[in-house]
Amino acid sequence: MGIVKTAKLVYEYLKHDEEGNVEAVNRAIDGVDIDIEEGQFIAVLGHNGSGKSTFAKHINALIVPTEGTMWVDGLKTDEEQNTIKVRQTAGMVFQNPDNQIIGTIVEEDVGFGPENLGVPTQEIWERVNKSLESVHMTEYRHHSPNKLSGGQKQRVAIAGVIAMHPKCIVLDEPTAMLDPNGRKEVIKAVHELNKKEKITVILITHYMDEVIDADKVYVMDEGKVVMEGTPREIFSQVDKMKDLRLDVPQATEIAYELRKSGINIRADILSIDELVNEVCQLK
Ligand SMILES: Nc1ncnc2c1ncn2[C@@H]1O[C@H](COP(=O)(O)OP(=O)(O)OP(=O)(O)O)[C@@H](O)[C@H]1O
Ligand SMILES: [Mg+2]
């Protein structure tokens, strides 16, 4: 079993009327079966409302399945005695870093998580040092988070999660509020954590360029996983992605247009470098 596994996962949001009767049922997750191998970098794509955040909240036991099962590191998330362990195993990073940073000094903020876990003081400092180092924020350790850029704040939020020594981090559109530079900083830091610390990464994003280097991509639509594969396998299906109201990386799109106009070029191009290389070889 992988680090995150689901079997026939279903989640329904219920709307109640004034008397408390169920007025409407919204099936946000509709029979999802996935198995994520430890150490992988996973991307989750899907149009607005496809169920990505609802799925993410299950991994942290913020919500539990209506039907079916979710395991995190082999623990069923709906068993109450597992909640704390599940939350320690899978850390969450959300869109807005301002909602996640509570400390008035960067290093204090990063130390909050391990302090709450009852980690001894000496070890807290070791974890804070290492976590700040891993996201390249050591030089800002005595700063106030308020004065940091969005990308820096988000990296502090990530350090705060890492300091709790999770095996897995789930990032729900962590770059949605950042400028292009901030986006790059954050994605680079997350890739490093995956490569160096072997932390499993589950990245939910609307930016296709952030997906290119993932090991595997899941595409969601109306609560279901409708595509899964490597970025190359997913993005080469440009028409299918467009049907799902999703973009593909810019280079893939250009190659697709060139092919449509009769130029014989590979369909599975992901980066500008690959595109240039292909175009230069055309006769
Ligand atoms: N708290 C809630 N109460 C009721 N319905 C909800 C709630 N949160 C989400 N939903 C509904 O569940 C479905 C899935 O929503 P979810 O937020 O998981 O999608 P998403 O893929 O994360 O979308 P986005 O890309 O906009 O973040 C949508 O129909 C949404 O309206
Ligand atoms: Mg969402």
Side-chain angles (χ1 to χ4, degrees), residues 15 56 58 65 94 138 141 150 168 178 215 248 250 271:
K15 194 171 169 218
H58 279 86
F94 298 97
T138 304
R141 64 182 306 150
C168 170
L178 309 181
D215 294 313
V248 296
Q250 206 182 17
S271 67

Side-chain angles (χ1 to χ4, degrees), residues 6 30 80 87 93 105 117 155 157 168 172 226 242 278:
T6 66
D30 189 10
E80 229 175 288
R87 293 201 176 140
V93 177
I105 304 286
L117 295 176
R155 284 186 286 146
C168 170
D172 191 354
V226 289
K242 285 187 190 291
E278 278 288 304

Side-chain angles (χ1 to χ4, degrees), residues 48-49 51-54 95 172-173 204 206:
N48 293 334
K52 304 179 298 297
S53 295
T54 305
Q95 206 175 85
D172 191 354
E173 298 191 39
I204 296 170
H206 281 289

Side-chain angles (χ1 to χ4, degrees), residues 242-253:
K242 285 187 190 291
D243 286 347
L244 295 166
R245 293 173 292 170
L246 292 170
D247 290 327
V248 296
Q250 206 182 17
T252 315
E253 176 91 43

